[in-house]
Amino acid sequence: MGAPQARLSELAARLAELGHETLVLTALPNYPQGRIHEGYRRLLVSEQQGDVSVLRTPIWPTKSVSLIPRTASYLSFALSSLVVGAVRLPRLDVLITESPPLPLGLTGFLLSRLKRARWVFNVSDLWPETAIALGSLGNGRLTRLAYRLEAFCYRRASAVSCQSREIEESINERFPQVRTISFVNGTDTDRFSPARRSETFWQDRVGDDRTIAVYAGLHGACQGLDQLIEAAEELQDDRLRLVLVGDGPEKEALVESAGRRRLGNVTFLEPQPKDAVPALLASADIAVVPLRTRLPGAVPSKLYEAMASGLPVVLVAEGEPAEILRSTKAGIAVSPGDVKGLADALRRLAESEDERDELGAAARAAAVERFDRRPIVDRFIDELKRVSITRPAGP
């Protein structure tokens, strides 16, 4: 579960489909509950997912958003994957390392040298910049160490792949000698489609016929879902129900806040099976995609899934995601922290089915034309082929 996981799963499946031997080295599944899933409580797990081999190594899981436990969790997997990878990985042509977590970069570097592979460092979020923006890191020694590790990874990688235009521009500006390649986000526009809509989906789950505005995803620090609770308080007299689907470290506090405010227009649902999510989105009326603050280079994958589902989007963000929304005319963007603007946007769309239909149609068209994952993945694979025939970076 999660945006990087979906993107990398699609990449692995497509590589295998094209005949490339593909192996994933990852942690025992624990997200987003912060505990190892049933059936995986062993030291090592080897399994097949289609034609992709998956090797799972130990991790110390946590649901905490605090710096120390999260760093300990990251380091536990960085160490276990290094030890297991050194023994179990075969000789490789290309090794791709996902970041964050940034400490995994050192593991990727060492394994790439041990296996004599070209190393691609895949940046889904800029770290430590994002941690600083969220207030998790200050200006101390740990931050300086993180910046040094970031620079080390960029300079030693054969290529750095970037999840957004802002990430690529930031790396190119600070490290002009580093080779960057684009691996932007997107979605499966066949799986996420207006054709998945069910007129009874939400009636069966929430029991009324109000306009449904849905958020589906992690309830974490980055999302700033408390803004939705505050906006819902201003919308109690409107015919709109806000539904938050998922789990995460902030969910308990959000449920408590909604209860304390006695919000009858907010519903919380547990994480849904992966196969249910396309119908869940397509059957809603509005998608809400919030961020707590402007995060450098962050473009939520939920934006693309909502657009592909033909939903008008109320986006709480600035920067690249807001530019995407405005350029595609797919919804309404408000600044993080602007609760009144968020409430006004939700009210406006709840009251106008015609505007919802117009924005949703534009969203779907843009998703198919610009953000369909298959051509994005195929272009990235072409870049990997070019990387594979170059000399490894660094000594």
Side-chain angles (χ1 to χ4, degrees), residues 164-240:
S164 72
R165 174 183 53 78
E166 285 187 348
I167 288 176
E168 190 164 8
E169 289 175 351
S170 173
I171 295 172
N172 286 336
E173 181 179 347
R174 292 179 294 139
F175 303 92
Q177 76 282 14
V178 169
R179 177 181 180 181
T180 57
I181 54 179
S182 176
F183 186 27
V184 298
N185 218 334
T187 193
D188 183 340
T189 58
D190 290 330
R191 181 166 175 259
F192 289 94
S193 165
R196 308 280 183 174
R197 183 176 180 86
S198 165
E199 297 301 330
T200 62
F201 187 96
W202 287 110
Q203 179 70 33
D204 294 343
R205 286 161 177 79
V206 300
D208 62 34
D209 58 355
R210 300 187 199 188
T211 301
I212 298 293
V214 65
Y215 168 84
L218 178 67
H219 295 33
C222 295
Q223 288 72 37
L225 298 180
D226 55 312
Q227 300 170 93
L228 304 190
I229 303 301
E230 292 179 35
E233 191 168 24
E234 296 191 21
L235 295 166
Q236 291 191 80
D237 295 330
D238 293 81
R239 290 192 56 76
L240 180 138

Side-chain angles (χ1 to χ4, degrees), residues 208-362:
D208 62 34
D209 58 355
R210 300 187 199 188
T211 301
I212 298 293
V214 65
Y215 168 84
L218 178 67
H219 295 33
C222 295
Q223 288 72 37
L225 298 180
D226 55 312
Q227 300 170 93
L228 304 190
I229 303 301
E230 292 179 35
E233 191 168 24
E234 296 191 21
L235 295 166
Q236 291 191 80
D237 295 330
D238 293 81
R239 290 192 56 76
L240 180 138
R241 177 171 294 278
L242 180 64
V243 182
L244 288 83
V245 185
D247 199 354
E250 300 291 325
K251 183 168 184 176
E252 185 177 341
L254 293 165
V255 172
E256 190 278 330
S257 177
R260 187 177 64 252
R261 299 167 192 257
R262 299 181 179 179
L263 300 181
N265 57 347
V266 177
T267 298
F268 291 90
L269 296 181
E270 293 302 307
Q272 301 296 296
K274 184 177 180 180
D275 292 342
V277 175
L280 180 153
L281 284 176
S283 303
D285 301 297
I286 303 166
V288 189
V289 181
L291 289 174
R292 173 180 157 189
T293 187
R294 177 165 184 171
L295 302 176
V299 181
S301 64
K302 303 173 194 66
L303 174 60
Y304 304 115
E305 293 169 355
M307 290 172 64
S309 300
L311 290 183
V313 179
V314 174
L315 176 74
V316 184
E318 296 175 331
E320 187 170 348
E323 291 172 13
I324 291 172
L325 196 71
R326 294 189 183 104
S327 68
T328 58
K329 299 180 180 178
I332 303 171
V334 299
S335 298
D338 183 3
V339 173
K340 184 179 185 305
L342 172 58
D344 288 345
L346 288 168
R347 180 180 293 115
R348 170 179 152 187
L349 292 182
E351 293 175 351
S352 176
E353 184 176 355
D354 288 344
E355 184 172 15
R356 294 199 305 269
D357 290 344
E358 180 182 348
L359 295 174

Side-chain angles (χ1 to χ4, degrees), residues 25-47:
L25 177 63
T26 187
L28 296 172
N30 64 93
Y31 177 89
Q33 293 86 0
R35 60 180 182 272
I36 303 299
H37 294 187
E38 291 293 335
Y40 287 92
R41 291 172 183 172
R42 290 171 280 163
L43 189 62
L44 293 174
V45 175
S46 296
E47 58 187 5

Side-chain angles (χ1 to χ4, degrees), residues 70-107:
R70 286 183 68 85
T71 301
S73 182
Y74 294 155
L75 291 176
S76 71
F77 173 60
L79 179 59
S80 72
S81 59
L82 175 60
V83 173
V84 174
V87 176
R88 296 286 297 271
L89 286 180
R91 171 80 179 268
L92 304 170
D93 296 306
V94 177
L95 174 70
I96 304 171
T97 303
E98 172 72 4
S99 176
L102 184 58
L104 202 58
L106 189 56
T107 299

